[in-house]
Structures are given as structure tokens and as C-alpha cells.
Amino acid sequence: MGIGKNLSETKGRELCELREETNTNTTNSNNNKSRRNRRHRQRKMSPGQKLFQTCNEVFASTGPGIVPSPQNIEMLLSVLGEIKQEDVGLKPEMAFFSSNNPRRTPKITYLHIYECQQFSMGIFCLPPSGVIPLHNHPGMTVFSKLLFGTMHIKSYDWVVDLPPHMPTIVKPSSETEASDMRLAKVKVDADFNAPCDPSILYPAEGNMHWFTAVTACAVLDVLGPPYSDPDGRHCTYYQNFPFSSYSDGLSIPEEERTAYEWLQEKEKPENLKVVVKMYSGPKIVEN
């Protein structure tokens, strides 16, 4: 009887182990099948749809001031880097990219693709000489891809690594009501020609920039998270001034001074005209 009981227990254990092994194999098989199906679906996706799906994944666990993981950043940069103008239904001869009156500041068109609490997607369309003035992105990680054309980009970091005795914030002496001026270092100041790699701004690195269209051009922007006045993420504009304007007390080598400028907050420029339109390129399904 003892042997029968032991045999029964042994068979029972073997049966349980067999079931567990079968379940494990089935689970692994299902997981592998799911991954294959996901890769297959991604191969069939349009580039715009793939970008949307990737943004959903990358920004799912981020928030204000929280940068995606290096792996997710590389994944999004890779997907964004593959996007071409025809993937979003744009052509340089479209009306967005022409200016009827060369004497006036060209208006800019923003094509709204998608926005939620975690991220936004959109395209800025600039005629030649169109300008998006110097502005910030509080708490945001910003991915940009120049789809076509030539654009001059200038970006800045706030200076935070000077010795404590060197002032990085000064009060303008001529205008008592003017806002303080803060020292910034130029990070990028160059022309970019499409096709080129996507760029990225971090919450605390290169967070302020301005765009000037050398030729007609289009820029695909992904912001995570997007601007939100109720949440304190306002778009602030700046005026830049040469370092020499307020250089007292700052011992920066002469050959490095051109890399520094003073930035002062200002109201939104009156001549900045941005027309918002809905994106009408290849369909992107929000799921």
C-alpha cells in the first residue's frame, strides 16, 4: 500500500511537471508567435502609424522632466529617422511653403497630427525666411526631423557650471521693469540640410531653440509631454543679447565668449503668425 501510494504520488508529480512543461512551452510558443505577429504588423504599418505606435510605447511611462530611457530614445530616433516627406503627404510646391508678400514676415502652418497628455505629434511648414523665434520647452523631451529643405537651427543651454561668485543672472540697468537676463551657452548654431538625422532636446539640455527657414522646409515635431498652460508648461519666448552686453564679473576666456549670450524673456512676437490646420496625410489610427 505504501508502494502504491508512492507510485501514485510519483505519477501525480510527473503529471503536474508534464502539465507545467506543456504550459511553459505553450506560453513560450504564444509569446514567440505574438512577437512575430507584432513585428509582422510593424512591417505592414505605414511610417506615420509606426511613429505613432512607437510614441505610445516610449512616452507611456514618462512625464514632465522625465526623459525616456536610452533604449527608447534610440528606438524613437530610429523610427523618426525613416520618415520621409511623402510618408506624411507633403510636397515643397504646396501652398504652405510659399509666401505671397515678400515684405511681410511669412506665416507658418502647423499641421496637427495627434495630442494626448503624454505626447504630441505635428509638422511645422515654413516658407523661405520663415522664423520660429527663440523659445523653450519646459520639462519636455523634444524630437525633431527635418523632412525637406534647409533650416538654420540655434539652440542653447542655461549656464549652471560657473563658480558661485560669477553672476549668471543680471538685472538690466536701463529698464527697471524689464525681466532679468540669464546667461546661456550656444549649443548648436548651424544650417541643416535634409535629409539629416533627427535632433533631440532634453528638459535640461539644449532646451531652447529657434528655427529660420533658409529655403522652404518642413519639420516633424514630437513633444513629450506637450505644452499645457494648466500644468505650468507655458511656451516662453526670449530675446538674445551678446555676452559683451553684461560681462562684468565674468572671467571667461576671450576666445570662448562668442559661445555665450544673455537671454531675456519677452512677449510672444507680434509678427509671429502660426496657422493651425489638421493633418491630412496618410491616415494614422489612434488605438
Side-chain angles (χ1 to χ4, degrees), residues 18-36:
L18 179 60
R19 285 173 178 166
E20 289 175 359
E21 183 179 349
T22 302
N23 289 337
T24 299
N25 291 337
T26 301
T27 299
N28 290 337
S29 176
N30 288 339
N31 286 340
N32 290 335
K33 185 176 180 181
S34 177
R35 282 194 290 269
R36 287 195 300 270

Side-chain angles (χ1 to χ4, degrees), residues 14 30 33 41 56 91 149 165 171 203 209 213 265-266 274 276:
E14 290 176 348
N30 288 339
K33 185 176 180 181
R41 287 195 303 270
N56 259 331
K91 297 179 180 178
H165 68 276
K171 184 76 175 177
H209 66 188
E265 291 186 18
K266 69 174 187 177
V274 179
V276 179

Side-chain angles (χ1 to χ4, degrees), residues 146 149-156 185-194 196-197 199 208-215 217 219 258 261:
L146 182 63
T150 300
M151 173 175 283
H152 188 89
I153 300 176
K154 192 168 186 178
S155 67
Y156 298 81
K185 189 171 185 178
V186 178
K187 184 175 182 181
V188 175
D189 188 8
D191 286 349
F192 290 80
N193 301 293
C196 57
D197 292 335
S199 63
M208 299 158 290
H209 66 188
W210 89 51
F211 293 159
T212 303
V214 179
T215 67
C217 53
V219 183
T258 55
E261 295 181 8

Side-chain angles (χ1 to χ4, degrees), residues 31-268:
N31 286 340
N32 290 335
K33 185 176 180 181
S34 177
R35 282 194 290 269
R36 287 195 300 270
N37 288 340
R38 185 163 59 248
R39 287 195 295 268
H40 180 66
R41 287 195 303 270
Q42 287 180 342
R43 284 195 294 269
K44 292 177 63 177
M45 283 182 191
S46 69
Q49 185 68 43
K50 188 175 180 181
L51 177 62
F52 174 78
Q53 299 288 86
T54 304
C55 288
N56 259 331
E57 183 176 346
V58 168
F59 294 108
S61 57
T62 63
I66 301 175
V67 178
S69 68
Q71 180 181 359
N72 280 342
I73 286 175
E74 287 304 315
M75 179 170 62
L76 182 49
L77 286 174
S78 175
V79 173
L80 190 59
E82 296 173 357
I83 302 284
K84 301 178 177 62
Q85 65 185 61
E86 55 267 27
D87 296 329
V88 290
L90 290 181
K91 297 179 180 178
E93 57 268 24
M94 287 179 164
F96 305 138
F97 305 106
S98 63
S99 179
N100 295 327
N101 190 340
R103 296 183 180 181
R104 291 185 179 180
T105 302
K107 70 178 180 182
I108 295 162
T109 302
Y110 177 75
L111 302 179
H112 173 82
I113 299 176
Y114 178 80
E115 182 172 322
C116 64
Q117 289 185 340
Q118 283 72 39
F119 70 94
S120 66
M121 295 168 50
I123 303 170
F124 286 98
C125 305
L126 291 81
S129 302
V131 176
I132 299 177
L134 180 58
H135 61 284
N136 70 347
H137 308 83
M140 305 178 198
T141 306
V142 181
F143 298 80
S144 300
K145 170 66 185 291
L146 182 63
L147 297 173
F148 68 83
T150 300
M151 173 175 283
H152 188 89
I153 300 176
K154 192 168 186 178
S155 67
Y156 298 81
D157 287 334
W158 291 122
V159 174
V160 295
D161 56 356
L162 291 183
H165 68 276
M166 292 189 186
T168 56
I169 298 177
V170 298
K171 184 76 175 177
S173 56
S174 58
E175 300 180 46
T176 56
E177 297 300 322
S179 59
D180 293 345
M181 305 182 77
R182 186 173 175 183
L183 190 62
K185 189 171 185 178
V186 178
K187 184 175 182 181
V188 175
D189 188 8
D191 286 349
F192 290 80
N193 301 293
C196 57
D197 292 335
S199 63
I200 180 171
L201 305 182
Y202 297 94
E205 185 181 343
N207 189 263
M208 299 158 290
H209 66 188
W210 89 51
F211 293 159
T212 303
V214 179
T215 67
C217 53
V219 183
L220 174 57
D221 256 7
V222 174
L223 277 61
Y227 289 106
S228 173
D229 287 343
D231 295 318
R233 292 192 301 277
H234 312 285
C235 182
T236 301
Y237 295 91
Y238 298 92
Q239 177 67 49
N240 65 318
F241 297 90
F243 174 79
S244 58
S245 302
Y246 301 91
S247 57
D248 293 345
L250 290 168
S251 54
I252 293 176
E254 189 69 33
E255 64 274 13
E256 297 180 15
R257 294 190 169 197
T258 55
Y260 292 87
E261 295 181 8
W262 296 96
L263 303 186
Q264 183 182 46
E265 291 186 18
K266 69 174 187 177
E267 296 294 325
K268 178 182 175 180

